[in-house]
Amino acid sequence: MQKIYSNDDIQDMITAVNDDQKLKEKVLGHFSGNDLHAMQDVLNDGWYERFDRYDSDICEQFIKAYEAEV
């Protein structure tokens, strides 16, 4: 069963990734092309609301990448 994440949970993930360069590199390694650029933009902004600019799949990919690396 897949966990449902709140906005606070996603914000905590973004903060954790931005606070750990090795984790950030691992998470970003799951992305390529336009998705990579979108994810870099979200992380550079630092707030979960930035996902609103992109297809919801970007946030889902981020969660999967984060779960795979922690």
Side-chain angles (χ1 to χ4, degrees):
M1 187 171 164
Q2 189 174 10
K3 180 179 181 342
I4 303 296
Y5 289 99
S6 71
N7 290 338
D8 289 337
D9 294 331
I10 295 169
Q11 184 62 55
D12 290 345
M13 290 179 199
I14 291 170
T15 300
V17 168
N18 278 332
D19 287 348
D20 183 338
Q21 187 60 36
K22 287 183 181 183
L23 177 59
K24 187 175 192 176
E25 290 171 8
K26 289 178 183 178
V27 167
L28 288 175
H30 290 259
F31 295 86
S32 63
N34 288 338
D35 291 349
L36 175 60
H37 294 293
M39 198 59 243
Q40 288 171 324
D41 179 56
V42 170
L43 293 175
N44 287 340
D45 184 71
W47 298 102
Y48 74 89
E49 292 99 339
R50 192 67 163 198
F51 280 117
D52 291 345
R53 292 181 171 220
Y54 303 102
D55 185 287
S56 63
D57 184 55
I58 296 296
C59 186
E60 291 172 23
Q61 288 182 57
F62 170 67
I63 291 169
K64 288 178 184 176
Y66 180 85
E67 288 176 336
E69 297 302 338
V70 293

Coordinates of all heavy atoms in Angstrom, one line a residue:
M1 N 0.8 -1.2 0.0 CA 0.0 0.0 0.0 C 0.9 1.3 0.0 O 1.9 1.3 0.7 CB -0.9 0.0 1.2 CG -1.9 1.1 1.3 SD -3.0 0.8 2.6 CE -3.8 2.4 2.7
Q2 N 0.5 2.2 -0.8 CA 1.3 3.4 -1.0 C 0.9 4.4 0.1 O -0.2 4.6 0.4 CB 1.1 4.0 -2.4 CG 2.1 5.1 -2.7 CD 1.9 5.6 -4.1 OE1 1.0 5.2 -4.8 NE2 2.9 6.4 -4.5
K3 N 2.0 5.0 0.7 CA 1.7 6.0 1.7 C 1.2 7.3 1.1 O 1.7 7.7 0.0 CB 3.0 6.3 2.5 CG 2.9 7.3 3.6 CD 4.2 7.5 4.3 CE 4.3 8.5 5.4 NZ 3.3 9.5 5.6
I4 N 0.3 8.0 1.7 CA -0.2 9.3 1.3 C 0.6 10.3 2.1 O 0.7 10.3 3.3 CB -1.7 9.5 1.6 CG1 -2.5 8.4 1.0 CG2 -2.1 10.9 1.2 CD1 -2.5 8.4 -0.5
Y5 N 1.3 11.2 1.3 CA 2.1 12.3 1.9 C 1.4 13.6 2.0 O 0.7 14.0 1.0 CB 3.4 12.4 1.1 CG 4.3 11.3 1.2 CD1 4.4 10.3 0.3 CD2 5.1 11.2 2.4 CE1 5.3 9.2 0.4 CE2 6.0 10.1 2.5 CZ 6.1 9.1 1.5 OH 6.9 8.1 1.7
S6 N 1.5 14.3 3.0 CA 1.0 15.7 3.2 C 2.0 16.7 2.6 O 3.1 16.3 2.3 CB 0.7 16.0 4.6 OG 2.0 16.2 5.3
N7 N 1.5 17.9 2.4 CA 2.4 18.9 1.9 C 3.6 19.1 2.9 O 4.7 19.4 2.4 CB 1.6 20.3 1.8 CG 0.7 20.2 0.6 OD1 0.8 19.4 -0.3 ND2 -0.3 21.1 0.7
D8 N 3.3 19.0 4.2 CA 4.4 19.1 5.2 C 5.4 18.0 5.0 O 6.6 18.2 5.1 CB 3.9 19.1 6.6 CG 3.1 20.3 7.0 OD1 3.4 21.4 6.3 OD2 2.3 20.3 7.9
D9 N 5.0 16.8 4.7 CA 5.9 15.7 4.4 C 6.8 15.9 3.2 O 8.0 15.7 3.2 CB 5.1 14.4 4.2 CG 4.4 13.9 5.4 OD1 4.8 14.1 6.5 OD2 3.3 13.2 5.1
I10 N 6.2 16.4 2.2 CA 6.9 16.7 0.9 C 7.9 17.9 1.2 O 9.0 17.8 0.7 CB 6.0 17.1 -0.2 CG1 5.2 15.8 -0.6 CG2 6.7 17.6 -1.5 CD1 4.0 16.0 -1.5
Q11 N 7.5 18.9 2.0 CA 8.4 20.0 2.3 C 9.6 19.4 3.1 O 10.7 19.8 2.9 CB 7.7 21.0 3.1 CG 8.5 22.2 3.4 CD 9.0 22.9 2.2 OE1 8.2 23.3 1.3 NE2 10.3 23.1 2.0
D12 N 9.3 18.5 4.0 CA 10.4 17.9 4.8 C 11.4 17.1 3.9 O 12.6 17.2 4.1 CB 9.9 17.0 5.9 CG 9.2 17.7 7.0 OD1 9.3 18.9 7.1 OD2 8.4 17.0 7.8
M13 N 10.9 16.5 2.9 CA 11.7 15.8 1.9 C 12.6 16.7 1.1 O 13.8 16.5 1.0 CB 10.9 15.0 0.9 CG 10.2 13.8 1.5 SD 9.2 13.0 0.2 CE 8.0 12.1 1.2
I14 N 12.0 17.8 0.7 CA 12.7 18.8 -0.1 C 13.9 19.4 0.8 O 15.0 19.5 0.4 CB 11.8 20.0 -0.6 CG1 10.9 19.4 -1.7 CG2 12.6 21.2 -1.1 CD1 9.8 20.4 -2.1
T15 N 13.5 19.7 2.0 CA 14.5 20.3 3.0 C 15.6 19.3 3.2 O 16.8 19.6 3.2 CB 13.8 20.7 4.3 OG1 12.8 21.7 4.0 CG2 14.8 21.2 5.3
A16 N 15.3 18.0 3.4 CA 16.3 17.0 3.7 C 17.2 16.8 2.5 O 18.5 16.7 2.6 CB 15.6 15.6 4.0
V17 N 16.7 16.9 1.3 CA 17.5 16.7 0.1 C 18.4 18.0 -0.1 O 19.6 17.8 -0.4 CB 16.6 16.6 -1.2 CG1 17.4 16.7 -2.5 CG2 15.9 15.2 -1.1
N18 N 17.9 19.1 0.1 CA 18.7 20.4 0.0 C 19.8 20.5 1.1 O 20.8 21.1 0.9 CB 17.8 21.6 0.0 CG 17.2 21.9 -1.3 OD1 17.7 21.5 -2.4 ND2 16.0 22.5 -1.3
D19 N 19.5 19.8 2.2 CA 20.5 19.8 3.3 C 21.6 18.8 3.2 O 22.6 18.8 4.0 CB 19.8 19.7 4.7 CG 19.0 20.9 5.1 OD1 19.2 22.0 4.5 OD2 18.2 20.8 6.0
D20 N 21.5 17.9 2.3 CA 22.4 16.8 2.1 C 22.8 16.6 0.6 O 22.1 16.1 -0.2 CB 21.8 15.5 2.6 CG 22.7 14.3 2.6 OD1 23.7 14.3 1.8 OD2 22.4 13.3 3.3
Q21 N 24.0 17.2 0.3 CA 24.4 17.2 -1.1 C 24.5 15.8 -1.7 O 24.1 15.6 -2.9 CB 25.8 17.9 -1.2 CG 26.2 18.1 -2.7 CD 25.3 19.0 -3.5 OE1 24.7 19.9 -2.9 NE2 25.1 18.7 -4.7
K22 N 24.9 14.8 -1.0 CA 25.0 13.4 -1.5 C 23.6 12.9 -1.8 O 23.4 12.3 -2.9 CB 25.7 12.5 -0.6 CG 27.2 12.8 -0.6 CD 28.0 11.8 0.3 CE 29.4 12.1 0.4 NZ 30.2 11.2 1.1
L23 N 22.7 13.1 -0.9 CA 21.3 12.7 -1.1 C 20.7 13.4 -2.3 O 20.0 12.8 -3.2 CB 20.5 13.0 0.1 CG 19.0 12.6 0.0 CD1 18.8 11.2 -0.4 CD2 18.3 13.0 1.3
K24 N 21.0 14.7 -2.5 CA 20.5 15.5 -3.6 C 21.0 15.0 -4.9 O 20.2 14.8 -5.8 CB 21.0 17.0 -3.4 CG 20.4 17.9 -4.4 CD 20.8 19.4 -4.1 CE 20.0 20.4 -4.9 NZ 20.4 21.7 -4.5
E25 N 22.3 14.6 -5.0 CA 22.8 14.0 -6.2 C 22.2 12.7 -6.5 O 21.9 12.4 -7.7 CB 24.4 13.9 -6.1 CG 25.1 15.2 -6.0 CD 26.6 15.1 -5.7 OE1 27.1 13.9 -5.6 OE2 27.2 16.1 -5.5
K26 N 21.9 11.9 -5.5 CA 21.3 10.6 -5.7 C 19.9 10.8 -6.2 O 19.4 10.1 -7.2 CB 21.3 9.8 -4.4 CG 22.7 9.2 -4.1 CD 22.6 8.5 -2.7 CE 23.9 8.0 -2.3 NZ 23.8 7.3 -1.0
V27 N 19.1 11.7 -5.6 CA 17.7 11.9 -6.0 C 17.7 12.4 -7.4 O 16.9 12.0 -8.3 CB 17.0 12.8 -5.0 CG1 15.7 13.3 -5.6 CG2 16.8 12.1 -3.7
L28 N 18.5 13.4 -7.7 CA 18.5 14.0 -9.0 C 19.0 13.0 -10.1 O 18.6 13.1 -11.3 CB 19.4 15.3 -9.1 CG 18.8 16.5 -8.4 CD1 19.8 17.6 -8.4 CD2 17.5 16.9 -9.0
G29 N 19.7 12.0 -9.7 CA 20.1 10.9 -10.6 C 19.0 10.1 -11.2 O 19.1 9.4 -12.2
H30 N 17.8 10.2 -10.6 CA 16.6 9.5 -11.1 C 15.9 10.3 -12.2 O 14.9 9.8 -12.7 CB 15.7 9.3 -9.9 CG 16.1 8.3 -8.9 ND1 15.7 7.0 -8.9 CD2 17.0 8.4 -7.9 CE1 16.3 6.4 -7.9 NE2 17.1 7.2 -7.2
F31 N 16.4 11.5 -12.5 CA 15.7 12.4 -13.4 C 16.6 12.6 -14.6 O 17.8 12.6 -14.5 CB 15.3 13.7 -12.8 CG 14.3 13.6 -11.7 CD1 14.7 13.3 -10.4 CD2 13.0 13.8 -11.9 CE1 13.8 13.2 -9.4 CE2 12.1 13.7 -10.9 CZ 12.5 13.4 -9.6
S32 N 15.9 13.0 -15.8 CA 16.7 13.4 -17.0 C 15.8 14.3 -17.8 O 14.6 14.5 -17.5 CB 17.1 12.2 -17.8 OG 15.9 11.5 -18.3
G33 N 16.5 15.0 -18.7 CA 15.8 15.9 -19.6 C 15.0 17.0 -18.9 O 15.4 17.6 -17.9
N34 N 13.8 17.3 -19.4 CA 12.9 18.3 -18.8 C 12.5 18.0 -17.4 O 12.4 18.9 -16.6 CB 11.7 18.5 -19.7 CG 11.9 19.2 -21.0 OD1 12.9 19.9 -21.1 ND2 11.1 19.0 -21.9
D35 N 12.4 16.7 -17.0 CA 12.0 16.4 -15.6 C 13.2 16.8 -14.7 O 12.9 17.2 -13.6 CB 11.7 14.9 -15.5 CG 10.4 14.5 -16.2 OD1 9.7 15.4 -16.6 OD2 10.2 13.3 -16.3
L36 N 14.4 16.6 -15.1 CA 15.6 17.0 -14.3 C 15.6 18.5 -14.1 O 15.8 19.0 -13.0 CB 16.9 16.6 -15.0 CG 18.2 17.0 -14.3 CD1 18.2 16.5 -12.9 CD2 19.4 16.6 -15.1
H37 N 15.3 19.2 -15.2 CA 15.3 20.7 -15.0 C 14.2 21.1 -14.1 O 14.3 22.1 -13.3 CB 15.1 21.4 -16.4 CG 16.3 21.2 -17.3 ND1 17.5 21.7 -17.0 CD2 16.4 20.5 -18.4 CE1 18.4 21.4 -18.0 NE2 17.8 20.6 -18.8
A38 N 13.0 20.5 -14.2 CA 11.9 20.8 -13.3 C 12.3 20.5 -11.9 O 12.0 21.3 -11.0 CB 10.6 20.0 -13.7
M39 N 12.9 19.4 -11.6 CA 13.2 19.0 -10.3 C 14.3 19.9 -9.7 O 14.2 20.3 -8.5 CB 13.7 17.5 -10.2 CG 13.7 16.9 -8.9 SD 12.1 16.9 -8.1 CE 12.4 17.9 -6.7
Q40 N 15.3 20.3 -10.5 CA 16.3 21.3 -10.1 C 15.6 22.6 -9.7 O 16.0 23.2 -8.7 CB 17.3 21.5 -11.1 CG 18.3 20.3 -11.3 CD 19.1 20.4 -12.5 OE1 18.7 20.9 -13.6 NE2 20.4 19.9 -12.4
D41 N 14.6 23.0 -10.5 CA 13.9 24.3 -10.2 C 13.2 24.2 -8.8 O 13.3 25.1 -8.0 CB 12.9 24.6 -11.3 CG 12.2 25.9 -11.1 OD1 12.8 26.9 -10.9 OD2 10.9 25.8 -11.1
V42 N 12.5 23.0 -8.6 CA 11.8 22.9 -7.3 C 12.8 22.9 -6.2 O 12.6 23.6 -5.2 CB 11.0 21.5 -7.3 CG1 10.5 21.2 -5.9 CG2 9.9 21.6 -8.3
L43 N 13.9 22.2 -6.3 CA 14.9 22.2 -5.2 C 15.5 23.5 -5.0 O 15.8 24.0 -3.9 CB 15.9 21.1 -5.4 CG 15.4 19.7 -5.4 CD1 16.5 18.7 -5.7 CD2 14.8 19.3 -4.0
N44 N 15.8 24.2 -6.1 CA 16.4 25.6 -6.0 C 15.4 26.5 -5.3 O 15.8 27.4 -4.5 CB 16.8 26.1 -7.3 CG 18.0 25.5 -7.9 OD1 18.8 24.9 -7.2 ND2 18.2 25.5 -9.2
D45 N 14.1 26.4 -5.6 CA 13.1 27.2 -5.0 C 13.0 26.9 -3.5 O 12.8 27.7 -2.6 CB 11.8 27.1 -5.7 CG 10.7 28.0 -5.1 OD1 10.8 29.2 -5.3 OD2 9.8 27.5 -4.5
G46 N 13.0 25.6 -3.2 CA 13.0 25.1 -1.8 C 11.6 24.9 -1.2 O 11.5 24.5 0.0
W47 N 10.6 25.1 -2.0 CA 9.2 25.0 -1.4 C 8.4 24.0 -2.2 O 8.4 24.1 -3.4 CB 8.6 26.3 -1.3 CG 9.3 27.3 -0.4 CD1 10.2 28.2 -0.8 CD2 9.4 27.2 1.0 NE1 10.8 28.8 0.3 CE2 10.3 28.2 1.5 CE3 8.8 26.4 2.0 CZ2 10.6 28.5 2.8 CZ3 9.0 26.7 3.3 CH2 9.9 27.7 3.7
Y48 N 7.5 23.2 -1.5 CA 6.7 22.2 -2.2 C 5.7 22.9 -3.2 O 5.3 22.3 -4.2 CB 5.9 21.4 -1.2 CG 4.8 22.1 -0.5 CD1 3.5 22.1 -1.1 CD2 5.0 22.8 0.7 CE1 2.5 22.7 -0.5 CE2 3.9 23.4 1.3 CZ 2.7 23.4 0.7 OH 1.6 24.1 1.3
E49 N 5.3 24.1 -3.0 CA 4.4 24.8 -3.9 C 4.9 24.9 -5.3 O 4.2 25.0 -6.2 CB 4.0 26.2 -3.4 CG 3.2 26.2 -2.1 CD 4.1 26.5 -0.9 OE1 5.3 26.3 -0.9 OE2 3.6 26.9 0.2
R50 N 6.2 24.8 -5.4 CA 6.8 25.0 -6.8 C 6.4 23.8 -7.7 O 6.4 24.0 -8.9 CB 8.4 25.0 -6.6 CG 9.1 25.4 -7.9 CD 8.8 26.9 -8.2 NE 9.8 27.4 -9.1 CZ 10.0 28.7 -9.3 NH1 9.3 29.6 -8.7 NH2 10.9 29.1 -10.2
F51 N 6.0 22.7 -7.1 CA 5.6 21.6 -7.9 C 4.3 22.0 -8.7 O 4.0 21.4 -9.7 CB 5.3 20.4 -7.1 CG 6.5 19.5 -6.7 CD1 6.8 19.4 -5.4 CD2 7.2 18.9 -7.6 CE1 7.9 18.6 -5.0 CE2 8.3 18.1 -7.3 CZ 8.7 18.0 -6.0
D52 N 3.6 23.0 -8.3 CA 2.4 23.4 -8.9 C 2.6 23.9 -10.4 O 1.7 23.9 -11.2 CB 1.7 24.6 -8.2 CG 1.1 24.1 -6.8 OD1 1.0 22.9 -6.6 OD2 0.8 25.0 -6.0
R53 N 3.9 24.3 -10.7 CA 4.2 24.7 -12.0 C 4.4 23.5 -13.0 O 4.5 23.8 -14.2 CB 5.5 25.5 -12.0 CG 5.5 26.8 -11.3 CD 6.8 27.4 -11.3 NE 6.7 28.8 -10.8 CZ 7.3 29.8 -11.3 NH1 8.1 29.7 -12.4 NH2 7.1 31.0 -10.8
Y54 N 4.4 22.3 -12.5 CA 4.7 21.2 -13.3 C 3.6 20.1 -13.2 O 2.8 20.1 -12.3 CB 6.1 20.6 -12.9 CG 7.2 21.6 -12.9 CD1 7.6 22.2 -11.8 CD2 7.7 21.9 -14.1 CE1 8.6 23.2 -11.8 CE2 8.7 22.9 -14.2 CZ 9.2 23.5 -13.1 OH 10.2 24.5 -13.1
D55 N 3.7 19.2 -14.1 CA 2.8 18.0 -14.1 C 2.9 17.3 -12.8 O 4.0 17.2 -12.2 CB 3.2 17.1 -15.3 CG 2.3 15.9 -15.4 OD1 2.3 15.0 -14.6 OD2 1.5 15.9 -16.4
S56 N 1.8 16.8 -12.2 CA 1.9 16.1 -10.9 C 2.8 14.9 -10.9 O 3.3 14.5 -9.9 CB 0.5 15.7 -10.5 OG 0.0 14.7 -11.4
D57 N 3.1 14.4 -12.1 CA 4.1 13.3 -12.2 C 5.4 13.7 -11.6 O 6.1 12.8 -11.1 CB 4.2 12.8 -13.6 CG 5.1 11.6 -13.7 OD1 4.8 10.6 -13.0 OD2 6.0 11.6 -14.5
I58 N 5.9 14.9 -11.7 CA 7.2 15.3 -11.2 C 7.2 15.1 -9.7 O 8.2 14.6 -9.2 CB 7.5 16.8 -11.6 CG1 7.6 17.0 -13.1 CG2 8.8 17.3 -10.9 CD1 8.7 16.3 -13.8
C59 N 6.2 15.5 -9.0 CA 6.2 15.3 -7.6 C 6.2 13.8 -7.2 O 6.9 13.4 -6.3 CB 5.0 16.0 -6.9 SG 5.0 15.9 -5.1
E60 N 5.4 13.0 -8.0 CA 5.4 11.6 -7.7 C 6.7 11.0 -8.0 O 7.2 10.1 -7.2 CB 4.3 10.9 -8.6 CG 2.9 11.3 -8.2 CD 1.9 10.8 -9.2 OE1 2.1 9.9 -10.0 OE2 0.8 11.4 -9.3
Q61 N 7.4 11.4 -9.0 CA 8.8 10.9 -9.3 C 9.7 11.3 -8.2 O 10.6 10.5 -7.8 CB 9.3 11.5 -10.6 CG 8.7 10.9 -11.9 CD 9.3 11.5 -13.1 OE1 10.5 11.4 -13.3 NE2 8.5 12.1 -13.9
F62 N 9.6 12.5 -7.7 CA 10.4 12.9 -6.6 C 10.2 12.1 -5.4 O 11.2 11.6 -4.7 CB 10.1 14.4 -6.2 CG 10.8 14.9 -5.0 CD1 12.2 15.0 -4.9 CD2 10.1 15.2 -3.9 CE1 12.8 15.4 -3.7 CE2 10.7 15.6 -2.7 CZ 12.1 15.7 -2.6
I63 N 9.0 11.8 -5.0 CA 8.7 10.9 -3.9 C 9.3 9.6 -4.0 O 10.0 9.0 -3.1 CB 7.2 10.8 -3.6 CG1 6.7 12.2 -3.1 CG2 6.9 9.7 -2.6 CD1 5.1 12.3 -3.1
K64 N 9.2 9.0 -5.2 CA 9.8 7.6 -5.5 C 11.3 7.7 -5.4 O 11.9 6.8 -4.8 CB 9.3 7.1 -6.8 CG 7.9 6.7 -6.9 CD 7.4 6.3 -8.2 CE 6.0 6.0 -8.3 NZ 5.5 5.6 -9.6
A65 N 11.9 8.7 -5.9 CA 13.3 8.8 -5.9 C 13.8 9.0 -4.5 O 14.8 8.4 -4.1 CB 13.8 10.0 -6.8
Y66 N 13.1 9.8 -3.7 CA 13.5 10.1 -2.3 C 13.4 8.8 -1.5 O 14.3 8.4 -0.8 CB 12.6 11.1 -1.7 CG 12.9 11.5 -0.3 CD1 13.9 12.4 0.1 CD2 12.2 10.8 0.7 CE1 14.2 12.7 1.4 CE2 12.5 11.1 2.1 CZ 13.4 12.0 2.4 OH 13.7 12.3 3.7
E67 N 12.3 8.1 -1.7 CA 12.1 6.8 -1.0 C 13.2 5.8 -1.3 O 13.6 5.0 -0.5 CB 10.7 6.2 -1.3 CG 9.6 7.0 -0.6 CD 8.2 6.4 -1.0 OE1 8.1 5.8 -2.1 OE2 7.2 6.6 -0.3
A68 N 13.6 5.8 -2.6 CA 14.6 4.8 -3.0 C 16.0 5.1 -2.4 O 16.8 4.2 -2.3 CB 14.7 4.9 -4.5
E69 N 16.2 6.4 -2.0 CA 17.5 6.8 -1.6 C 17.7 7.0 -0.1 O 18.8 7.2 0.4 CB 17.9 8.1 -2.3 CG 18.0 7.9 -3.8 CD 19.0 6.9 -4.3 OE1 20.0 6.5 -3.5 OE2 18.9 6.4 -5.4
V70 N 16.6 6.9 0.7 CA 16.7 7.1 2.1 C 16.4 5.8 2.8 O 15.9 4.8 2.3 CB 15.8 8.2 2.7 CG1 16.2 9.5 2.2 CG2 14.3 7.9 2.4

